[in-house]
Amino acid sequence: MPLKNWNWFEKIWLLSFSGVALILSVLWKDTLFGFSVFLSGVICVVLAAKGSIWTYAWGMYNTLGHAWISWQSGLYGETMLNALYFFPMQIVGWWLWRERMNEETVQMRKISPAGGIALGVLCALGTWGYGWWLSTLPGQQTPYMDSLTNVLSVAAQILMALRYREQWALWIIINMVSVAMWSLRLTDGAEEAATMVAMWSAYLVNSVYGWISWSRGADRDMKEEKHRELTA
């Protein structure tokens, strides 16, 4: 994970989030496994906000670990999302990014307005349909909140693999809902739910930074690409 092209803010950001993971895990007497999932997730999303391809290496461990914790907490949509979708998408994302790198960061771009409208409609329909199905599963908690995070996460992960800035708008919504969802599980006494609340809160802050970082990167990279096309 080379850091030579990182600015001081990004380095402090990474170290601060890692420190939060350690402190909270000690205070809440979390398991070593829960701490490892928390830490790998923090590093993964910070690297994604930076546009580093190493986000996918850390994401492989985090997605499998989060799937196991979700299964134990009765969040089957989260379990399926992480084990059957997020994990293989780490491999797909790595493959798609490797040919589109500017030294340490990926080339970024923006989605079209028409594409944004179509994306919104598909996400709304998907949330309703998947939420209804989850509500029929015995033991399922908060089915429509679970559905919303799942559907938006699928869309955001695709946008991420395709290098679109708009992934971060979806991640912001996902993280807000996830904080609320895990807070409900915390009040029910679910094991390791406190760690998940802290982890998703950290993700929420990071997703705002990711939007800012990728907005700047997309403007820069799209301008450079247009210049290359004009001079070719």
Side-chain angles (χ1 to χ4, degrees), residues 3 36 49 59 91 94 117 121 126 138 160 188 207 225:
L3 299 176
S36 69
I91 301 172
W94 179 286
I117 294 173
V121 172
M160 178 178 172
D188 293 336
S207 59
E225 183 177 355

Side-chain angles (χ1 to χ4, degrees), residues 148-221:
L148 178 63
T149 59
N150 291 335
V151 171
L152 293 188
S153 293
V154 168
Q157 191 68 43
I158 293 173
L159 293 179
M160 178 178 172
L162 297 176
R163 303 175 287 110
Y164 283 113
R165 173 197 64 171
E166 284 70 20
Q167 61 168 300
W168 293 105
L170 298 185
W171 290 128
I172 290 172
I173 298 172
I174 292 163
N175 295 333
M176 292 176 64
V177 175
S178 295
V179 169
M181 183 173 64
W182 281 104
S183 294
L184 292 175
R185 300 301 297 129
L186 179 61
T187 61
D188 293 336
E191 185 179 357
E192 295 176 331
T195 299
M196 293 297 103
V197 171
M199 184 181 76
W200 285 106
S201 296
Y203 288 178
L204 176 57
V205 176
N206 186 75
S207 59
V208 174
Y209 175 67
W211 173 266
I212 296 172
S213 177
W214 277 62
S215 292
R216 294 171 179 170
D219 288 339
R220 178 198 64 228
D221 293 340

Side-chain angles (χ1 to χ4, degrees), residues 16 18 24 34 37 50 76 80 91 99 107 115 118 127 146 154 173 181 200 221 225 229 231:
S16 297
S18 299
L24 292 179
V37 174
K50 172 66 176 176
Y76 304 132
M80 290 183 282
I91 301 172
E99 299 297 334
Q107 296 171 12
T127 297
D146 201 4
V154 168
I173 298 172
M181 183 173 64
W200 285 106
D221 293 340
E225 183 177 355
E229 292 176 352
T231 57

Side-chain angles (χ1 to χ4, degrees), residues 11-33:
K11 292 177 182 178
I12 294 173
W13 192 252
L14 177 59
L15 292 175
S16 297
F17 269 176
S18 299
V20 168
L22 176 60
I23 293 171
L24 292 179
S25 294
V26 171
L27 290 177
W28 290 329
K29 299 179 180 179
D30 193 13
T31 63
L32 181 60
F33 175 65

Side-chain angles (χ1 to χ4, degrees), residues 96-169:
L96 291 176
W97 277 29
R98 63 192 179 94
E99 299 297 334
R100 295 288 186 173
M101 299 299 296
N102 296 320
E103 294 186 9
E104 289 188 19
T105 60
V106 73
Q107 296 171 12
M108 305 169 188
R109 54 184 178 169
K110 301 178 183 178
I111 199 170
S112 68
I117 294 173
L119 179 65
V121 172
L122 290 174
C123 286
L125 292 174
T127 297
W128 177 81
Y130 192 40
W132 175 84
W133 181 73
L134 287 176
S135 68
T136 66
L137 299 180
Q140 169 66 37
Q141 304 292 325
T142 59
Y144 287 97
M145 292 178 69
D146 201 4
S147 174
L148 178 63
T149 59
N150 291 335
V151 171
L152 293 188
S153 293
V154 168
Q157 191 68 43
I158 293 173
L159 293 179
M160 178 178 172
L162 297 176
R163 303 175 287 110
Y164 283 113
R165 173 197 64 171
E166 284 70 20
Q167 61 168 300
W168 293 105

